[in-house]
Amino acid sequence: MKVTKAKTAGFCFGVNRAVDLTTNLAKSGKKVATMGPLIHNRQAVEELEKLGVITLDSLDVPEDYEVVLRSHGVEKNVCEYFENRGTITHDATCPYVKKIHHLAEKTGKKGRTLLVAGDSEHAEVKGIVSYTDGEYFIFNEPEELEKWLSVGQNKQKSCNLVAQTTYMLKKWQESVNIIKKLCTDCEIFDTICRATNERQTEAAKLAQENDLMVVIGGRHSSNTQKLVKVCEQYCPTISIETVKELSPELFINIQNVGVTAGASTPAFIIQEVLNNMSEVIREDGMSFEEMLNESYANQPKVYRGAKIKGVVTGVSANEVTVDIGTKHTGFIKASELSDDPSAKVEELVKKGDELNLIVIKPNDQEGTVELSKKRYDALEGADAVAKAAETGEVLTATIVEAVKGGLVAFVNGVRVFIPASLAAGRNESLEALVKTKQEIKIIESSRDGNRRKVIGSIRAVKDEKNNELKEKFWAEVEEGKHYTGVVKSLTRYGAFVDLGGVDGLVHMSELTWEKIKHPAEILSVGDEIDVFVKSLDRENGKISLGHKKEEDNPWAKLETEFPIGSIFTGTVASITKFGAFVKILPGVDGLVHISEISYDRVEDPNAVLKVGQEVQVKLIGVDLEAKRVSLSIKQTMEAPVKEEADAE
């Protein structure tokens, strides 16, 4: 019997941190009490009790005892009680749980409703909702959320969605899909612990590869019981707390066993189970493994649909022969190697290659077995896609065609349809994505009769990345900080700039010192632009940006380089009935009053000046505060001499 242990089995970071903290306190001579069981594992708690650690079931702390707050957190009022009382506390709350506490608190302050995916009776969930001052709703099943949202007034509420750190991934994805369909304003925070995510993903993979799964962990451990449910979807599963619950009879006719454990299961318990499974001795002296080998020694190992490995021993134009480790001679027809009819056998495989295969037809009389590589690949690809739909794993898709309504892509040999709304942004072309590789998430994988329906989303991956970028940006941003951004869109009042997951607005007045009527005069969508943060509105997520530089301020240049009385050349920018505006610097126009155009009387400025005409002007006045400049054309010329009238 082959036994495979999950790499992620055992203490997670948060549990390990809590146990180490408590153990070190006890060994240093401190009197230590934990607020409730430190972790949900009876054996681990018993080990701590041997060091003198006691478990409290109330707020009544014995004198001289210091309190450790457990890894899944406590309610806010408990912390406040100990603080007011002056009790020394050590916070062993998992950082991932702490993060949810902060989100809950922020949600309440914003007046939004907190939605919590989890077990309402679990200590972690009770702790989470204690940190919000506003309305909250707890649901354990996606159907409960859907029912709550079916009430008209709830659909209109502004909500924040979080999850218990050990919530099942499949349920979380279903809940997210429901929220997106029914709620008009909901911020989604995926707070399932990374370790939980990895543990459930690995458990699902092991369960698919083995005949039996053994899950080790406490009966009251939420994450352990979630592992049991994950594994049960794929193969028979045994849930145990200790090695004492194992017996050889459980493994009759079992060839491959997978072993995993909850995040609160100590390493020594896992090791005891593994040792027992390989060393248990029966009354007749036969080892446990020998007994199991005996139980299936006479059973056929090659059967229709079996997944096996084979080593290529021969290659011809029409077929490949393989050694599958039995008395049979394995062969693969050329048509069963690949879906590509033009592919040549010798280009696909060579002698010595190890292949994953599926048995099509065994023939014990002739000692042959017909095998297929392409069917194995298709099954594995379908399994990978189906698993990705449950776990939210990001896959790489090859886009092959743009069709009505979206894109056609292939992932691991499986056809995936990506609707246009989930494929590209508003200004993006679907055709531009053809023959490219894109990261996608599978949002639906189901069967409609004999056909498999698989729907993917490019935007789901981009949205997730953008959310991560947003969190990082808001954690680091400050007024005055400079960024290189990309112009995302232009409006009549300014330009929206992508700073990396977050957009900021550069008002038109902040784009340039020159006078422009529309940002499109100097910018295009896609341009890179250097900006700096002028102001922040963290509450509403708004950022005001600046682009023009103070050192380029034309008014400062005017003050230092153009003294009153100086004469220079300018360009007529516009003409009004009372005079003409002449551009003397980028962003600075001066007014030549109608009376300063000529020594002759001017009735209409248009009669003597044209827009775009270059003229010599004299600077006769500047009001920097009001941003006004007075110019004269006639004072650049000599005044005409008046003829004296004949006295007679």
Side-chain angles (χ1 to χ4, degrees):
M1 179 180 70
K2 180 182 177 182
V3 178
T4 305
K5 181 179 84 72
K7 295 177 182 178
T8 55
F11 281 176
C12 67
F13 162 74
V15 170
N16 198 57
R17 174 173 168 269
V19 172
D20 284 350
L21 171 64
T22 308
T23 301
N24 291 336
L25 284 172
K27 287 184 177 180
S28 68
K30 303 282 188 183
K31 292 183 177 180
V32 184
T34 63
M35 193 61 234
L38 183 70
I39 59 175
H40 284 146
N41 184 276
R42 183 166 52 85
Q43 291 73 32
V45 172
E46 288 173 357
E47 289 297 311
L48 290 173
E49 288 174 352
K50 293 176 183 178
L51 297 175
V53 179
I54 65 172
T55 302
L56 301 175
D57 56 8
S58 71
L59 297 177
D60 187 15
V61 182
E63 190 174 351
D64 298 331
Y65 269 78
E66 298 178 8
V67 176
V68 175
L69 305 180
R70 56 194 171 186
S71 58
H72 40 262
V74 297
E75 294 171 62
K76 184 178 180 181
N77 66 309
V78 173
C79 298
E80 292 171 345
Y81 173 82
F82 287 139
E83 184 178 351
N84 294 333
R85 186 184 175 191
T87 302
I88 297 175
T89 59
H90 303 274
D91 194 353
T93 305
C94 173
Y96 291 111
V97 178
K98 276 282 191 185
K99 178 183 176 182
I100 310 177
H101 290 174
H102 293 315
L103 287 171
E105 193 168 26
K106 186 177 179 181
T107 300
K109 287 180 179 178
K110 287 187 175 182
R112 299 172 71 88
T113 299
L114 180 67
L115 304 178
V116 184
D119 181 358
S120 60
E121 296 302 314
H122 195 280
E124 179 186 324
V125 175
K126 290 180 179 179
I128 291 170
V129 297
S130 73
Y131 278 83
T132 180
D133 296 328
E135 181 184 3
Y136 63 84
F137 175 70
I138 304 169
F139 63 93
N140 200 18
E141 300 296 333
E143 292 77 14
E144 297 173 42
L145 174 63
E146 189 169 24
K147 184 177 180 181
W148 185 81
L149 286 171
S150 65
V151 178
Q153 60 185 16
N154 291 338
K155 286 184 181 180
Q156 307 305 319
K157 289 180 179 177
S158 297
C159 304
N160 284 4
L161 174 66
V162 299
Q164 184 179 343
T165 54
T166 56
Y167 196 63
M168 285 188 70
L169 294 172
K170 183 178 180 181
K171 289 185 180 181
W172 170 253
Q173 191 57 55
E174 290 176 9
S175 303
V176 169
N177 291 339
I178 290 169
I179 278 286
K180 289 180 177 179
K181 289 179 183 178
L182 300 181
C183 188
T184 57
D185 178 14
C186 184
E187 291 186 39
I188 301 169
F189 300 91
D190 185 352
T191 54
I192 296 176
C193 171
R194 189 180 298 110
T196 297
N197 188 331
E198 293 173 355
R199 198 181 302 267
Q200 291 185 13
T201 301
E202 188 182 17
K205 184 175 184 296
L206 274 179
Q208 293 175 72
E209 296 172 348
N210 287 277
D211 307 316
L212 177 73
M213 282 296 294
V214 176
V215 182
I216 314 166
R219 295 277 188 266
H220 301 291
S221 167
S222 174
N223 73 84
T224 299
Q225 298 313 309
K226 296 290 193 314
L227 288 175
V228 173
K229 291 182 179 179
V230 167
C231 295
E232 285 176 338
Q233 298 176 63
Y234 303 103
C235 73
T237 302
I238 301 170
S239 174
I240 63 171
E241 282 195 352
T242 69
V243 69
K244 296 178 182 178
E245 298 173 56
L246 282 182
S247 63
E249 290 76 16
L250 295 171
F251 301 93
I252 298 296
N253 296 328
I254 299 297
Q255 299 180 31
N256 299 294
V257 180
V259 178
T260 188
S264 53
T265 306
F268 76 88
I269 292 181
I270 300 173
Q271 195 57 51
E272 284 180 352
V273 171
L274 293 174
N275 291 342
N276 177 274
M277 291 172 68
S278 61
E279 297 176 3
V280 168
I281 303 299
R282 224 174 45 170
E283 289 183 1
D284 59 5
M286 186 180 291
S287 73
F288 192 24
E289 186 171 4
E290 289 171 337
M291 179 194 73
L292 293 172
N293 286 337
E294 182 186 59
S295 70
Y296 60 77
N298 297 321
Q299 294 181 4
K301 295 180 181 179
V302 178
Y303 54 92
R304 188 186 298 272
K307 295 179 181 180
I308 60 175
K309 290 184 180 293
V311 177
V312 176
T313 57
V315 178
S316 69
N318 298 320
E319 69 177 28
V320 174
T321 55
V322 293
D323 178 4
I324 60 173
T326 69
K327 62 182 181 180
H328 300 83
T329 298
F331 68 94
I332 311 167
K333 292 180 180 178
S335 59
E336 290 297 330
L337 269 177
S338 170
D339 284 320
D340 184 358
S342 63
K344 296 181 180 179
V345 174
E346 58 269 22
E347 293 177 353
L348 295 174
V349 295
K350 61 182 182 299
K351 284 186 179 181
D353 285 352
E354 185 177 73
L355 306 178
N356 290 311
L357 306 163
I358 279 185
V359 174
I360 298 177
K361 183 180 180 183
N363 189 328
D364 291 328
Q365 288 183 347
E366 296 182 6
T368 61
V369 57
E370 186 178 348
L371 305 163
S372 173
K373 180 180 181 296
K374 76 174 186 180
R375 297 189 195 187
Y376 181 95
D377 293 342
L379 279 176
E380 287 296 295
D383 289 345
V385 167
K387 183 179 74 172
E390 296 178 359
T391 63
E393 179 185 358
V394 176
L395 302 176
T396 300
T398 301
I399 312 299
V400 296
E401 184 183 6
V403 296
K404 183 178 180 180
L407 297 170
V408 174
F410 279 89
V411 178
N412 297 337
V414 177
R415 185 182 188 277
V416 179
F417 178 69
I418 305 173
S421 60
L422 302 178
R426 186 176 300 173
N427 299 317
E428 290 183 274
S429 164
L430 291 178
E431 284 73 15
L433 296 174
V434 175
K435 295 184 180 180
T436 67
K437 291 187 180 296
Q438 299 289 329
E439 289 187 326
I440 69 168
K441 281 196 171 185
I442 306 300
I443 61 173
E444 183 179 343
S445 177
S446 59
R447 281 199 172 277
D448 183 8
N450 293 324
R451 296 183 61 188
R452 178 176 289 277
K453 179 182 178 184
V454 183
I455 298 176
S457 171
I458 296 173
R459 289 190 59 184
V461 178
K462 291 183 177 180
D463 289 345
E464 188 174 288
K465 289 182 177 179
N466 283 340
N467 288 335
E468 292 175 0
L469 290 172
K470 283 180 182 178
E471 281 192 35
K472 182 180 179 183
F473 177 89
W474 284 108
E476 298 174 351
V477 70
E478 56 186 24
E479 290 187 6
K481 193 167 183 178
H482 286 255
Y483 292 89
T484 298
V486 177
V487 177
K488 193 171 182 180
S489 63
L490 299 173
T491 69
R492 59 182 177 80
Y493 51 82
F496 284 95
V497 178
D498 182 359
L499 304 175
V502 177
D503 294 345
L505 172 66
V506 186
H507 192 271
M508 191 159 66
S509 62
E510 291 297 328
L511 280 172
T512 177
W513 291 103
E514 295 190 50
K515 293 179 180 179
I516 57 175
K517 294 181 179 180
H518 195 280
E521 293 177 33
I522 59 171
L523 288 176
S524 300
V525 172
D527 286 353
E528 280 197 354
I529 180 174
D530 292 324
V531 294
F532 61 92
V533 178
K534 288 184 65 68
S535 62
L536 295 166
D537 181 354
R538 293 181 183 274
E539 191 73 19
N540 296 305
K542 294 183 178 179
I543 307 165
S544 295
L545 302 172
H547 171 62
K548 64 185 184 183
K549 300 175 182 177
E550 189 57 39
E551 58 264 34
D552 296 332
N553 187 344
W555 292 95
K557 188 175 183 179
L558 178 72
E559 184 179 15
T560 57
E561 299 181 17
F562 293 81
I564 299 295
S566 57
I567 296 174
F568 45 87
T569 301
T571 304
V572 177
S574 62
I575 299 174
T576 69
K577 64 181 180 180
F578 53 84
F581 286 94
V582 175
K583 181 178 181 179
I584 55 178
L585 283 172
V588 178
D589 293 348
L591 173 65
V592 181
H593 192 268
I594 192 171
S595 63
E596 291 295 327
I597 293 175
S598 174
Y599 285 104
D600 296 325
R601 181 179 179 82
V602 177
E603 296 291 343
D604 180 6
N606 286 289
V608 293
L609 296 173
K610 294 181 179 179
V611 172
Q613 178 183 346
E614 287 191 349
V615 293
Q616 269 204 323
V617 292
K618 181 178 182 179
L619 183 64
I620 60 176
V622 176
D623 184 345
L624 291 172
E625 188 173 342
K627 297 289 188 292
R628 292 177 181 171
V629 178
S630 297
L631 302 171
S632 174
I633 294 176
K634 75 178 186 181
Q635 292 186 37
T636 65
M637 302 177 286
E638 290 187 13
V641 179
K642 293 182 178 180
E643 295 182 3
E644 295 182 5
D646 190 341
E648 298 186 4

